[in-house]
């Protein structure tokens, strides 16, 4: 990271001098300096009229936003590969000025004005006393400030953000982020990030004809999402290490937490709030985002349309049968009906399975039969109705819709939408129409790659500064491929509808015991076994391969209690945590359904010597990130309590994912001590001394176990067996792995202790400094005194920093 910062510095220095030389050469009056004095101005016509912060990172000037349209902006100086820049602020985003005669000036009265030929377009009027002198400075933080001679700030751009917060720029009750309209149109869009009247930081859709909150999830109480309404200070700020904290207790750390890369928190045009880090090669990577499934962002596809989300492709928009895309250049306008319908017309209902339109129903009617629901819909002149089985009621609920918005199709949703169409409408058994987006237009959507980070070992190339911006390489044509299984005149078949329902807003599915029995062919193929249960491979009804775990817990725990815990686990979402797809709680059976990992556990791979140094390092870092997320970043504080190679699984690319978390008692972040563990958990060899000495159980027990896993990975020696040693008198015994490694480090041959403890199976193609760093980290983690161990995010930082 330090290296990267240096590169940035060098590159910007070089870039700056190039600019200056260029301007001198062209004989232009360049103002490539960080300030603009009172009485002077920056002109749109002179490309050299740009302020550059003294560290070279930021530039301020007129930026072209369209044909002959300019906005006074601040941007990251270094361009992206396509020549565009990453803008962080705009003065006049909704009123661009002409490319002729427009300018920004500081008047003698300390007013900043932007003029377009004649009229004043934008103004900051900070008149203090007459004759006081001021100048506009572009600071290294990206803040543009109007300061007096004694450094008194009269005005600063940090006080009026557009769609981006920079590190150190607070958001408070008078400020809000407003998204851009589209990727290419920077004027104010429909999404906002703001402190609501109840002091909670929220993302809000403020469309032309509708307004709704979509983050935090409005179907779950704020309190259950870790927010508080009682702190009215309403401030939030991102710091330079990637830690964001807000007065409503919302906080997170970037996945690359630590001082180093430049970061920005941007409310993107698609309504998602993302934290970006500028990585070594000048590419912006997403290191946190508010919504992992962008179909849950309200207004994603416009009214009457249905969004479906594919993690590989992002969201796709489409129209239901009988509807067509309204504006072929823009999904914001959604779909419109191809028919006219009045309340008294004869109608049919088309059945759309797994489709949910969020909100806009007259009533939530419990225990309704299908015929009753249909009647309610017809009587209320509805557009459609949603009919869904709720196991907790043991009955169906009925929602009659007066608008079709926030449409979302996902296979784990068991409800069905019945869409009203005129009887005369010719849809019977015709192939479903496909409405494609015109690919030549600019309506493209960003790929949602959560936590996708490049782990670069390549030498840095300062010339490739901004090789690409995230998403630009990943342009895609959004088009619709909807295959609606609709049949007409058929009343719903209860047996097909009970096969799973969505636990409100947790996004995962309930399975029946018989479904899982069938999926695993009678619990036939065992792929793992541990303290909490046996894991089987299975194929779910939708052909996905899953790992199905039968828990050993006695069923005295009620289903509600079980569900409460499981839904918390199901909400954890991180690339280094195994994903839970669903559960089963039926009679005495308790099962969990997880994604299946092709390469099995770290334990198996260590045994078969299939891991070289690079993979082991990746596994060490990935596992640390997963655990750091569990400990510190997610809404509920989760201790793993059984970190060991059997619980670290590897996907097809050998990326690690931690499994089996959350099965230990969930701890509340507020409780200072992790009390509440009645019985010892964990595995011999990996357990921290606290268990033995009956000390408070905190996150530090996981750190200890993680340290042991690192040692095992590096030495290839099993901690549960220990290391056989021979004493000076020829006596033989087994030494604890960490004691052995520490002994080697302190021992006589201390200069080559690393080589002495290494697993020969790892090969020789390793970086000794990185390796030594990793062993040092492992030794710190296995300190006997828990106060001496680092936290998991410090571990991540140490590992990432130690990388070359
Ligand atoms: C951006 O969108 C707004 C509203 O649709 C429109 O008025 C404006 O002309 C657009 N600007 C550009 C540069 O396309
Ligand atoms: C700025 O404020 C001063 C004093 O408040 C006022 O006299 C002046 O007219 C204002 N200028 C503009 C452009 O509004
Ligand atoms: C104002 O800030 C500049 C740069 O930080 C510093 O050099 C200067 O001494 C400061 N002036 C006063 C009056 O504090
Ligand atoms: C929502 O948008 C309308 C205009 O479209 C605007 O008047 C209103 O202030 C906006 N609300 C918020 C909270 O930004
Ligand atoms: C409210 O939030 C602010 C800012 O995050 C914090 O400094 C303060 O301690 C909080 N107050 C309470 C009572 O928690
Ligand atoms: C649903 O309604 C039927 C009759 O209307 C009644 O017999 C049944 O007990 C109700 N079920 C629930 C769960 O309320
Ligand atoms: C796609 O859009 C472009 C520009 O908006 C237009 O010229 C072209 O005819 C459109 N193609 C189709 C198939 O609609």
């Amino acid at each position: 990271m330090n290296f990267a910062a240096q590169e940035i510095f060098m590159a910007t220095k070089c870039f700056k001098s190039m600019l200056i030389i260029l301007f001198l050469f062209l004989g232009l009056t360049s103002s490539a300096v960080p300030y603009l004095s009172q009485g002077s101005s920056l002109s749109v016509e002179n490309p050299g009229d740009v302020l550059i912060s003294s560290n070279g990172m930021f530039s301020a000037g007129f930026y072209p936003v369209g044909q002959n349209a300019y906005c006074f902006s601040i941007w990251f100086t270094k361009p992206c590969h396509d020549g565009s820049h990453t803008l962080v602020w705009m003065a006049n985003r909704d009123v661009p000025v002409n490319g002729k005669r427009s300018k920004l000036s500081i008047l003698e009265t300390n007013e900043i004005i932007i003029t377009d030929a004649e009229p004043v377009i934008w103004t900051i009027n900070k008149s203090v006393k007459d004759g006081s002198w001021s100048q506009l400075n572009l600071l290294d933080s990206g803040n543009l400030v109007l300061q007096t001679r004694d450094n008194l700030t009269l005005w600063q751009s940090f006080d009026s953000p557009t769609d981006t917060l920079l590190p150190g720029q607070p958001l408070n009750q008078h400020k809000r982020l407003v998204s851009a309209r589209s990727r290419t149109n920077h004027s104010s869009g429909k999404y906002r990030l703001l402190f609501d009247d109840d002091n909670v930081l929220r993302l809000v859709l403020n469309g032309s004809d509708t307004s709704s909150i979509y983050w935090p999830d409005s179907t779950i109480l704020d309190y259950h999402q870790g927010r508080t309404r009682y702190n009215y200070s309403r401030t939030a700020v991102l710091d330079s290490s990637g830690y964001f904290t807000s007065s409503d207790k919302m906080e997170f750390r970037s996945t690359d937490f630590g001082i180093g890369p430049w970061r920005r928190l941007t409310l993107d045009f698609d309504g998602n709030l993302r934290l970006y880090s500028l990585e070594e090669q000048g590419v912006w990577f997403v290191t946190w985002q508010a919504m992992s499934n962008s179909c849950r962002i309200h207004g994603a596809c416009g009214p009457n349309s249905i969004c479906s989300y594919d993690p590989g492709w992002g969201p796709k928009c489409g129209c239901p049968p009988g509807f067509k895309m309204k504006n072929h250049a823009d999904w914001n306008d959604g779909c419109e009906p191809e028919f006219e319908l009045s309340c008294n017309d004869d109608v049919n209902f088309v059945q759309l399975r797994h489709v949910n339109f969020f909100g806009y129903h007259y009533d939530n009617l419990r225990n309704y039969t299908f015929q009753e629901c249909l009647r309610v819909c017809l009587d209320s002149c509805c557009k459609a109705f949603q009919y869904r089985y709720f196991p907790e009621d043991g009955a169906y609920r009925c929602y009659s819709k007066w608008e079709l918005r926030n449409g979302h199709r996902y296979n784990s949703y068991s409800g069905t939408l019945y869409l009203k169409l005129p009887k005369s409408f010719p849809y019977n058994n015709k192939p479903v129409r496909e409405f494609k987006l015109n690919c030549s237009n600019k309506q493209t959507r960003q790929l949602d790659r959560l936590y996708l980070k490049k782990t670069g070992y390549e030498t840095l190339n300062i010339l490739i500064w901004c090789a690409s911006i995230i998403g630009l390489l990943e342009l895609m044509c959004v088009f619709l491929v909807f295959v609606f299984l609709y049949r007409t005149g058929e009343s719903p078949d209860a047996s097909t509808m009970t096969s799973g329902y969505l636990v409100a807003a947790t996004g995962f599915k309930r399975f029946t015991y018989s479904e899982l029995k069938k999926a695993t062919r009678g619990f036939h193929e065992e792929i793992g076994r541990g303290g909490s249960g046996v894991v089987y491979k299975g194929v779910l009804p939708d052909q996905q391969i899953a790992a199905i775990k039968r828990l050993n817990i006695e069923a005295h725990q009620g289903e509600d209690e079980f569900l409460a815990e499981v839904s918390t686990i199901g909400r954890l979402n991180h690339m280094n945590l195994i994903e839970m797809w669903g559960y089963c709680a039926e009679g005495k059976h308790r099962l969990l359904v997880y994604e299946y990992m092709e390469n099995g556990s770290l334990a198996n791979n260590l045994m078969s010597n299939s891991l070289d140094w690079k993979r082991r390092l990746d596994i060490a870092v990935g596992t640390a990130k997963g655990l750091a997320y569990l400990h510190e970043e997610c809404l509920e504080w989760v201790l793993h309590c059984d970190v060991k190679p059997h619980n670290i699984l590897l996907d097809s690319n050998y990326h690690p994912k931690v499994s089996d978390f959350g099965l230990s008692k969930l701890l509340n972040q507020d409780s200072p001590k992790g009390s509440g563990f009645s019985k010892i958990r964990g595995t011999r060899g990996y357990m921290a001394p606290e268990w033995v000495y009956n000390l408070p159980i905190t996150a530090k027990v996981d750190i200890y176990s993680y340290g042991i896993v690192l040692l095992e990975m590096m030495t290839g020696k099993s901690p549960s067996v220990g290391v056989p040693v021979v004493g000076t008198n020829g006596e033989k015994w087994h030494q604890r792995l960490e004691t052995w490694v520490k002994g080697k480090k302190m021992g006589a041959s201390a200069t080559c202790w690393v080589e002495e403890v290494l697993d020969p199976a790892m090969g020789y193609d390793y970086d000794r400094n990185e390796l030594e760093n990793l062993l040092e980290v492992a030794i710190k983690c296995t300190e006997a005194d828990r106060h001496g161990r680092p936290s998991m995010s410090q571990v991540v930082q140490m590992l990432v920093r130690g990388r070359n």
Side-chain angles (χ1 to χ4, degrees):
M1 292 294 161
N2 293 338
F3 186 50
Q6 202 181 335
E7 291 284 49
I8 290 172
F9 183 68
M10 276 170 52
T12 48
K13 252 176 98 167
C14 148
F15 185 72
K16 244 169 87 177
S17 33
M18 270 168 57
L19 265 183
I20 290 169
I21 291 168
L22 188 72
F23 290 136
L24 287 179
F25 182 73
L26 295 175
L28 296 170
T29 50
S30 164
S31 60
V33 287
Y35 59 85
L36 182 69
S37 309
Q38 200 177 44
S40 36
S41 56
L42 296 174
S43 159
V44 70
E45 284 169 81
N46 184 353
D49 274 4
V50 172
L51 305 180
I52 295 183
S53 63
S54 51
N55 63 357
M57 272 318 279
F58 296 97
S59 301
F62 284 97
Y63 194 85
V65 295
Q67 200 95 49
N68 190 35
Y70 293 79
C71 291
F72 191 81
S73 316
I74 299 174
W75 61 87
F76 280 92
T77 307
K78 208 67 188 172
C80 300
H81 77 296
D82 64 350
S84 69
H85 292 83
T86 307
L87 300 173
V88 297
W89 181 77
M90 281 188 157
N92 53 324
R93 72 191 298 197
D94 291 320
V95 271
V97 294
N98 259 296
K100 286 262 176 282
R101 294 177 62 198
S102 303
K103 61 187 180 187
L104 173 131
S105 327
I106 310 181
L107 307 182
E108 301 295 333
T109 53
N110 294 323
E111 286 167 58
I112 314 172
I113 57 167
I114 296 175
T115 48
D116 183 357
E118 295 301 322
V120 174
I121 292 293
W122 179 88
T123 174
I124 293 294
N125 190 352
K126 291 290 173 186
S127 317
V128 270
K129 59 181 187 303
D130 262 358
S132 82
W133 173 95
S134 73
Q135 98 181 358
L136 196 59
N137 288 333
L138 182 57
L139 305 185
D140 286 353
S141 56
N143 193 3
L144 189 67
V145 294
L146 184 67
Q147 284 177 318
T148 61
R149 204 184 295 275
D150 18 302
N151 290 355
L152 180 70
T153 298
L154 299 177
W155 170 88
Q156 53 183 341
S157 65
F158 269 20
D159 282 341
S160 53
T162 48
D163 61 357
T164 297
L165 286 182
L166 288 169
Q169 177 178 10
L171 188 74
N172 62 29
Q173 92 184 84
H174 307 293
K175 305 176 203 168
R176 59 189 45 181
L177 297 189
V178 178
S179 66
R181 190 165 282 273
S182 72
R183 190 190 294 285
T184 49
N185 185 334
H186 300 281
S187 64
S188 301
K190 59 185 177 180
Y191 297 105
R192 314 238 178 300
L193 173 75
L194 45 81
F195 279 102
D196 211 343
D197 293 339
D198 60 3
N199 305 317
V200 174
L201 187 63
R202 298 185 191 285
L203 288 173
V204 181
L205 161 71
N206 185 28
S208 50
D209 55 352
T210 179
S211 157
S212 59
I213 293 167
Y214 58 94
W215 179 85
D217 193 328
S218 54
T219 60
I220 304 175
L221 293 176
D222 294 330
Y223 171 74
H224 288 304
Q225 304 184 64
R227 306 292 192 95
T228 175
R229 297 180 172 183
Y230 302 109
N231 190 331
Y232 43 82
S233 54
R234 297 192 193 175
T235 53
V237 68
L238 173 72
D239 75 11
S240 53
S241 62
Y243 175 60
F244 179 87
T245 170
S246 156
S247 57
D248 69 351
K249 280 186 153 179
M250 149 76 193
E251 58 171 3
F252 65 82
R253 285 187 168 80
S254 68
T255 46
D256 62 347
F257 176 69
I259 305 281
W262 270 96
R263 297 192 173 86
R264 63 186 167 95
L265 185 70
T266 301
L267 177 55
D268 284 324
F269 70 92
D270 65 355
N272 210 342
L273 182 66
R274 296 188 179 89
L275 179 65
Y276 291 88
S277 292
L278 187 57
E279 290 293 314
E280 283 132 2
Q281 256 132 37
V283 183
W284 287 104
F285 279 98
V286 177
T287 50
W288 176 84
Q289 64 182 355
M291 314 286 292
S292 55
N293 177 346
S294 20
C295 281
R296 289 183 186 272
I297 296 172
H298 291 177
C301 289
N304 299 319
S305 69
I306 302 173
C307 182
S308 67
Y309 182 73
D310 169 352
W313 281 98
K316 294 176 181 179
C317 303
C319 298
F323 286 75
K324 67 174 198 295
M325 198 177 165
K326 196 164 174 181
N327 170 358
H328 274 260
D330 191 355
W331 271 109
N332 275 320
D333 297 332
C335 307
E336 60 185 358
E338 295 177 296
F339 51 82
E340 300 254 323
L341 191 59
S342 79
C343 282
N344 301 322
D345 290 350
D346 279 345
V347 294
N348 271 334
F349 284 90
V350 179
Q351 186 183 359
L352 307 178
R353 287 171 199 262
H354 309 300
V355 170
N356 180 28
F357 282 88
F358 183 88
Y360 303 94
H361 46 256
Y362 293 103
D363 229 336
N364 173 2
L365 304 168
R366 299 182 182 214
N367 195 7
Y368 268 58
T369 66
F370 181 76
Q371 288 306 329
E372 283 168 346
C373 191
L374 193 129
R375 176 95 338 249
V376 168
C377 179
L378 289 175
D379 290 347
S380 59
C381 193
C382 73
K383 290 192 173 162
F385 68 92
Q386 193 97 35
Y387 193 61
R388 181 171 151 211
Y389 184 71
F390 273 73
E392 59 261 47
D393 300 0
Y396 285 89
R397 289 193 194 170
C398 169
Y399 304 89
S400 179
K401 302 275 174 189
W402 45 276
E403 283 218 25
L404 301 176
R405 284 185 188 272
N406 309 320
H408 186 182
R409 177 176 184 275
Y410 44 112
N411 283 332
S412 59
Y413 179 75
S414 68
T416 300
L417 184 91
Y418 293 86
L419 182 68
K420 197 158 112 180
L421 292 181
K423 203 160 210 142
S424 54
F425 193 81
Y427 60 86
N428 278 343
N429 293 329
K430 247 175 48 180
V432 174
R433 273 169 178 251
E434 290 186 357
F435 295 98
K436 288 185 188 170
L437 245 181
N438 184 343
C439 293
S440 64
N441 72 34
K442 293 278 204 237
Q443 182 70 23
T444 50
R445 284 187 182 268
Q446 200 157 327
L447 235 187
D448 251 359
R449 286 250 176 90
L450 191 59
Y451 304 120
L452 184 87
K453 267 196 64 192
K454 202 170 153 63
T455 48
Y457 285 94
E458 308 85 351
T459 49
L460 299 172
N461 184 346
I462 46 172
L463 292 178
I464 312 173
W465 169 262
C466 233
S468 73
I469 224 172
I470 185 158
L472 272 179
L473 283 180
E474 299 156 342
L475 296 185
M476 49 167 274
C477 300
V478 185
F479 54 94
L480 155 79
V481 187
F482 265 123
V483 182
F484 288 119
L485 300 166
Y486 62 84
R487 276 164 288 169
T488 55
E490 187 191 72
S491 68
D493 168 9
S495 71
T496 63
M497 299 187 93
T498 51
S499 64
Y501 74 104
L502 183 90
V503 179
T506 54
F508 68 104
K509 196 178 155 174
R510 174 203 170 107
F511 293 89
T512 64
Y513 184 70
S514 59
E515 269 177 321
L516 294 185
K517 194 166 172 190
K518 194 166 153 220
T520 55
R521 290 181 294 140
F523 302 102
H524 175 70
E525 195 178 338
E526 180 177 325
I527 52 173
R529 183 177 275 270
S532 54
V534 183
V535 187
Y536 302 89
K537 186 173 174 178
V539 182
L540 299 180
D542 59 1
Q543 300 309 313
Q544 298 232 55
I545 302 181
I548 297 169
K549 176 164 207 159
R550 254 178 115 147
L551 296 177
N552 284 340
I553 52 180
E554 289 103 57
H556 61 132
Q557 192 190 28
E559 187 177 335
D560 286 352
E561 216 176 304
F562 177 75
L563 184 56
E565 295 212 353
V566 160
S567 64
T568 312
I569 304 169
R571 234 182 288 144
L572 302 179
N573 175 7
H574 188 274
M575 72 176 283
N576 295 116
L577 296 180
I578 202 98
E579 197 181 328
M580 190 192 285
W581 289 344
Y583 73 98
C584 163
E586 211 176 281
K588 61 184 195 317
H589 302 295
R590 297 287 182 270
L591 296 99
L592 300 175
V593 181
Y594 292 105
E595 64 178 316
Y596 176 76
M597 300 287 277
E598 287 84 348
N599 277 317
S601 73
L602 174 60
N604 293 343
N605 282 274
L606 284 177
M607 234 179 327
S608 62
N609 289 332
S610 49
L611 302 173
D612 60 12
W613 156 248
K614 190 178 171 304
R615 279 185 186 162
R616 290 186 200 210
L617 182 62
D618 277 342
I619 292 167
V621 175
T623 305
K625 286 181 178 171
L627 289 173
Y629 178 85
L630 276 186
H631 286 173
E632 294 158 31
E633 292 175 44
C634 47
L635 299 178
E636 331 257 342
W637 196 33
V638 181
L639 297 195
H640 191 294
C641 289
D642 198 9
V643 176
K644 59 180 176 179
H646 311 80
N647 285 335
I648 298 168
L649 305 182
L650 305 178
D651 71 8
S652 52
N653 293 318
Y654 291 90
H655 293 313
K657 294 198 183 198
V658 177
S659 75
D660 242 20
F661 50 87
L663 299 185
S664 61
K665 187 148 181 59
L666 295 170
L667 280 181
N668 201 310
Q669 200 149 14
D670 295 342
S671 81
K673 284 185 186 167
S675 51
F677 287 90
S678 50
K679 90 181 178 213
I680 290 189
R681 284 186 50 90
T683 304
R684 206 179 109 94
Y686 299 92
M687 282 161 66
E690 288 96 299
W691 294 107
V692 181
Y693 298 112
N694 220 357
L695 294 170
I697 299 306
T698 65
K700 294 294 172 77
V701 301
D702 286 349
I703 316 274
Y704 183 90
S705 309
Y706 172 78
I708 299 286
V709 172
L710 285 190
L711 291 179
E712 180 174 1
M713 264 202 292
M714 295 304 123
T715 63
K717 299 195 185 324
S718 158
S720 42
V721 179
V723 186
V725 290
V726 183
T728 41
N729 299 327
E731 74 276 21
K732 293 179 182 171
W733 79 94
H734 285 257
Q735 202 171 27
R736 291 174 68 88
L737 179 57
E738 64 274 28
T739 319
W740 179 71
V741 173
K742 284 172 197 167
K744 287 286 181 194
K745 190 190 165 196
M746 297 304 170
S749 53
T751 45
C752 54
W753 69 282
V754 171
E755 285 71 17
E756 281 184 21
V757 302
L758 262 200
D759 181 3
M762 201 152 84
Y764 296 95
D765 187 17
Y766 57 80
D767 181 312
R768 193 180 183 284
N769 290 339
E770 286 183 328
L771 185 60
E772 186 165 348
N773 175 55
L774 207 136
L775 283 166
E776 298 279 4
V777 170
I779 288 172
K780 282 206 185 85
C781 291
T782 53
E783 284 277 323
D785 175 12
R786 66 178 198 279
H787 301 295
R789 297 174 211 148
S791 72
M792 216 62 226
S793 53
Q794 285 168 331
V795 169
V796 174
Q797 227 172 317
M798 288 189 280
L799 293 181
V800 172
R801 270 199 197 149
R803 282 187 154 187
N804 285 338

